[in-house]
Amino acid sequence: MSTTQTHNHLRRTTSNSTSAMRATEPHIHTAIIAGTFISAFPSLVSDPGSTLIWALPGLALLQAVYQVRCLRMLKPTPSGSGKKEVIGISSKIISSFLAILFATTIGAAALYVLLILFGAPATTHVFPTVLCAMHTALLAVAPLVYKYRLEGRVWREVLGGRAVVEECFAGAVGALGGAWVGAVPIPLGMDREWQKWPVTIVTGAYVGYMVGKSLGWAFPGKRLPL
């Protein structure tokens, strides 16, 4: 085998290995979230506020890395030809940071209001409710903002449930739907430790996010039957 053929073979092998690694990274991200949440669940039940606050920086970092490594942020070319070009790594890192910042401020504020409107305690448990909103925003809002930024047309589709299904959108739907389902056990009156606010809401958001994200990865290109 000639030197040129050897180099080409090595290049193809390296490229295939890199592609295979990149394909597994979304699943590694999901597995890390699952493992971390399972290990933290006893602490979440015993002390929700403290657990949510110490877990918040780790979740923010994990989502930031996931966004840069796993999500494809595309930008229209100036010619308006409809072709897309991949944005550079420095822009990805800045965009990821801004998406995390947006999610933990504006996104969390919006979700906090929704939690109150859907029955969260308005005058008590304020701090745990804020932390619940921030965790849910990092799961549901940050990846969407990173991928789609603030383009009005896309966000109208997202908010209307008409966006094409993929990891970010399906994960967001799963997180919000899971949080809503997680509220069901709270008023049942069994007085169990795990029923304290907002343990079941946070659990539902995390489980829903992981399920939705995995389904979005497995069945991309569909639309919700609305």
Side-chain angles (χ1 to χ4, degrees):
M1 182 180 293
S2 67
T3 303
T4 302
Q5 289 176 323
T6 302
H7 287 167
N8 290 337
H9 176 72
L10 290 174
R11 189 180 300 111
R12 286 194 298 270
T13 302
T14 302
S15 177
N16 291 337
S17 299
T18 302
S19 298
M21 182 61 187
R22 293 297 292 269
T24 63
E25 285 176 353
H27 308 300
I28 294 173
H29 169 257
T30 304
I32 292 173
I33 287 182
T36 303
F37 184 80
I38 291 171
S39 64
F41 185 76
S43 298
L44 178 65
V45 172
S46 61
D47 190 354
S50 296
T51 303
L52 289 175
I53 195 168
W54 67 251
L56 192 65
L59 177 61
L61 178 61
L62 184 61
Q63 291 298 85
V65 173
Y66 160 70
Q67 288 163 181
V68 172
R69 292 289 302 173
C70 301
L71 299 183
R72 179 175 295 178
M73 186 173 60
L74 301 177
K75 178 182 179 183
T77 57
S79 63
S81 62
K83 296 180 180 179
K84 304 285 186 177
E85 62 179 9
V86 180
I87 295 177
I89 186 63
S90 59
S91 295
K92 283 187 171 187
I93 293 173
I94 294 171
S95 295
S96 186
F97 171 78
L98 292 176
I100 296 297
L101 182 63
F102 182 94
T104 52
T105 53
I106 297 174
L111 288 176
Y112 177 82
V113 172
L114 284 176
L115 285 170
I116 298 298
L117 292 177
F118 276 90
T123 58
T124 61
H125 301 84
V126 174
F127 188 53
T129 304
V130 170
L131 291 171
C132 175
M134 294 180 76
H135 275 257
T136 306
L138 283 172
L139 295 172
V141 178
L144 286 172
V145 173
Y146 173 82
K147 183 165 186 176
Y148 298 124
R149 288 174 285 180
L150 301 179
E151 186 176 339
R153 178 187 60 81
V154 177
W155 276 97
R156 284 192 293 271
E157 292 183 349
V158 169
L159 295 176
R162 301 187 303 274
V164 175
V165 170
E166 41 73 38
E167 276 187 61
C168 298
F169 179 58
V173 172
L176 297 177
W180 182 72
V181 173
V184 173
I186 294 178
L188 296 182
M190 294 184 290
D191 295 326
R192 301 291 179 86
E193 187 73 4
W194 55 265
Q195 286 180 280
K196 69 173 63 170
W197 180 266
V199 173
T200 58
I201 306 291
V202 174
T203 301
Y206 271 86
V207 173
Y209 173 72
M210 290 183 286
V211 171
K213 176 174 174 286
S214 299
L215 290 175
W217 180 89
F219 303 103
K222 308 291 185 181
R223 290 187 185 270
L224 296 180
L226 297 178

